[in-house]
């Protein structure tokens, strides 16, 4: 850490902002500043997008911008995680009915347990965010684990205890009510299983709780289920969506309402459309994975900003209305020779309750077969409201009709409820 004092005149002329560490950082260079989670740092200069000049306890150095977030004034923000709303929504049966009724989702987890039943014998399993305890009950009924720790922070945990008893699994399954940050378990676990995925894979960021549990409670060499995850993207047609939301205003009931089209575009297409049921034939090219996550090596600071690239070759001519996104997760076998199972929420697979997420362009573009569409996707976590994020897309279209012509575009989609 640079020990010399910063010039007082420089300190006076630069705006100083307070930030808090969201993860531990250990300096690897002499001009960097070490800090721990929760430390309050004073940022004197945002030198680059990645590195900022900061002060801690009178010492100065560079800190990675992704490891800090603005200090939240408790008078302005009561709950940056919105825990009361988030966990409260899982205290009623509405969401649990939706999830349990999702057969591809639920049966995939059941198949994971069933295909690993012999390897689970005598092992300890944690089911994080267990909800009604369905995965815990699968483990207890289909395998012979030494113990299953069913962890649930919402009021549903009280009902889960009764469900465990009613299904005769109380000798194996123990229900722990509370947040993972406050969790006290009898010991470490061999397997950590969770259904943490949200729209565009990360929305609501339950994954952070999974990583916290992994780092604290998973034994060395233990297994994560899912063990990996991917976010997929494809350029697509969405003619019905565009017609209902935009074309409608051209001449409803024989009257000219076209002046409202720009307002409709801002209102309906500025945010992603969740739960979009996309037809496979609406894909203009083969999809590609733009982000991949290894759940054994992923770190919490990695969640602040995730970047991916794409390059599509248009397979059929059609109107490019936007992008569709979905995710897949993989479950590595506990046995080295066992199969890796997958849950895929894309349009070419059985429909899940997530369906797909539609990201509409401001104006559609006609694409010809053979055109190329390349670009970048960025998922940027909200620095204050920690369950929210912004998804940004940048793209370039190169035409087969005119080799010198190309069109560029970009759009950002804030994701919140």
């Amino acid at each position: 850490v640079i020990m010399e004092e910063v010039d007082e005149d420089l300190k006076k002329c630069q705006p100083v902002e307070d930030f808090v560490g969201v993860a531990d950082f250990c300096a690897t260079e002499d001009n960097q500043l070490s800090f721990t989670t929760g430390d309050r740092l004073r940022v004197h200069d945002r030198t680059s997008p990645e590195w900022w000049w900061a002060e801690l306890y009178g010492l100065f150095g560079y800190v990675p911008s992704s490891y800090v977030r603005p200090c939240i004034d408790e008078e302005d923000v009561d709950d940056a995680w919105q825990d009361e709303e988030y966990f409260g929504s899982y205290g009623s049966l509405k969401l649990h009915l939706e999830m349990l009724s999702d057969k591809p989702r639920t049966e995939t987890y059941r198949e994971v347990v069933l295909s690993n039943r012999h390897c689970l014998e005598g092992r300890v399993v944690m089911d994080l965010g267990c909800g009604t305890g369905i995965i815990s009950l699968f483990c207890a009924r289909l395998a012979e684990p030494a113990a299953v720790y069913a962890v649930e922070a919402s009021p549903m945990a009280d009902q889960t205890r009764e469900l465990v008893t009613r299904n005769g699994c109380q000798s194996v399954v123990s229900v722990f009510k509370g947040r993972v940050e406050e969790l006290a378990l009898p010991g470490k676990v061999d397997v950590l299983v969770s259904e943490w995925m949200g729209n565009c894979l990360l929305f609501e960021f339950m994954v952070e709780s999974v990583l916290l549990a992994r780092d604290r409670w998973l034994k060395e060499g233990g297994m994560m289920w899912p063990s990996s995850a991917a976010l997929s993207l494809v350029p697509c047609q969405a003619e019905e969506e565009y017609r209902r939301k935009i074309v409608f205003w051209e001449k409803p009931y024989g009257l000219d309402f076209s002046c409202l089209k720009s307002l409709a575009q801002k209102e309906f297409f500025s945010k992603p459309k969740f739960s979009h049921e996309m037809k496979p034939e609406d894909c203009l090219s083969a999809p590609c994975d733009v982000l991949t996550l290894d759940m054994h090596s992923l770190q919490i600071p990695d969640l602040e900003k995730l970047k991916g690239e794409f390059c599509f070759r248009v397979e059929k001519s059609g109107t490019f209305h936007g992008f569709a996104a979905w995710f897949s997760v993989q479950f590595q076998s506990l046995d080295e020779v066992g199969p890796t199972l997958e849950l895929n929420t894309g349009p070419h697979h059985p429909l899940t309750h997530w369906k797909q997420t539609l990201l509409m362009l401001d104006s559609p573009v006609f694409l010809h077969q053979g055109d190329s569409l390349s670009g970048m996707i960025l998922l940027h976590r909200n620095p204050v409201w920690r369950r929210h994020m912004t998804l940004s897309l940048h793209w370039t279209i190169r035409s087969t009709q005119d080799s010198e012509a190309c069109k560029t575009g970009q759009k950002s989609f804030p994701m919140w409820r």
Side-chain angles (χ1 to χ4, degrees), residues 400-414:
T400 54
Q401 308 296 306
D402 185 351
S403 59
E404 296 184 0
C406 69
K407 296 179 181 178
T408 61
Q410 62 179 26
K411 189 171 182 180
S412 293
F413 299 85

Side-chain angles (χ1 to χ4, degrees), residues 84 101 365 391 397:
E84 184 176 350
S101 299
V365 179
L391 188 155
I397 301 170

Side-chain angles (χ1 to χ4, degrees), residues 273-287:
K273 181 190 177 186
F274 296 149
S275 301
H276 176 68
E277 190 171 344
M278 180 185 177
K279 298 175 182 177
E281 56 266 29
D282 285 337
C283 296
L284 293 174
S285 77

Side-chain angles (χ1 to χ4, degrees), residues 65-79:
S65 59
S66 61
Y67 278 59
V68 299
R69 63 167 171 79
C71 290
I72 299 171
D73 189 336
E74 292 183 0
E75 294 180 359
D76 297 327
V77 181
D78 294 328
D79 182 7

Side-chain angles (χ1 to χ4, degrees), residues 16-162:
V16 178
E17 300 176 82
D18 291 331
F19 284 77
V20 63
V22 295
D24 297 347
F25 173 72
C26 183
T28 58
E29 303 288 343
D30 291 341
N31 63 350
Q32 294 175 358
L33 183 65
S34 296
F35 58 89
T36 59
T37 304
D39 280 346
R40 296 175 70 94
L41 301 98
R42 307 208 76 196
V43 173
H44 291 264
D45 184 23
R46 299 192 185 191
T47 313
S48 73
E50 293 79 24
W51 292 95
W52 296 348
W53 183 258
E55 173 188 1
L56 177 64
Y57 305 132
L59 303 178
F60 293 84
Y62 287 107
V63 300
S65 59
S66 61
Y67 278 59
V68 299
R69 63 167 171 79
C71 290
I72 299 171
D73 189 336
E74 292 183 0
E75 294 180 359
D76 297 327
V77 181
D78 294 328
D79 182 7
W81 278 92
Q82 299 170 289
D83 282 348
E84 184 176 350
E85 176 186 350
Y86 178 73
F87 292 121
S89 66
Y90 286 94
S92 64
L93 288 180
K94 179 181 178 181
L95 290 179
H96 295 287
L97 175 62
E98 183 179 38
M99 292 185 291
L100 292 173
S101 299
D102 183 342
K103 287 190 175 182
R105 163 207 178 263
T106 307
E107 290 182 350
T108 296
Y109 277 88
R110 181 180 183 276
E111 183 59 29
V112 170
V113 174
L114 191 60
S115 65
N116 286 275
R117 62 187 182 280
H118 299 303
C119 296
L120 284 171
E121 185 176 350
R123 301 202 186 193
V124 179
V125 179
M126 180 198 295
D127 176 9
L128 183 61
C130 68
T132 56
I134 185 72
I135 299 173
S136 295
L137 294 173
F138 286 159
C139 290
R141 283 286 190 90
L142 302 176
E144 296 182 9
V148 178
Y149 303 148
V151 181
E152 176 59 36
S154 81
M156 185 55 60
D158 298 325
Q159 307 298 325
T160 306
R161 290 194 180 95
E162 182 176 349

Side-chain angles (χ1 to χ4, degrees), residues 111-112 115-116 225 227 330-342:
E111 183 59 29
V112 170
S115 65
N116 286 275
W225 282 339
S227 47
Q330 296 74 40
F331 302 83
Q332 184 181 343
S333 174
L334 291 171
D335 185 344
E336 292 183 0
V337 298
T340 295
L341 300 179
E342 181 180 71

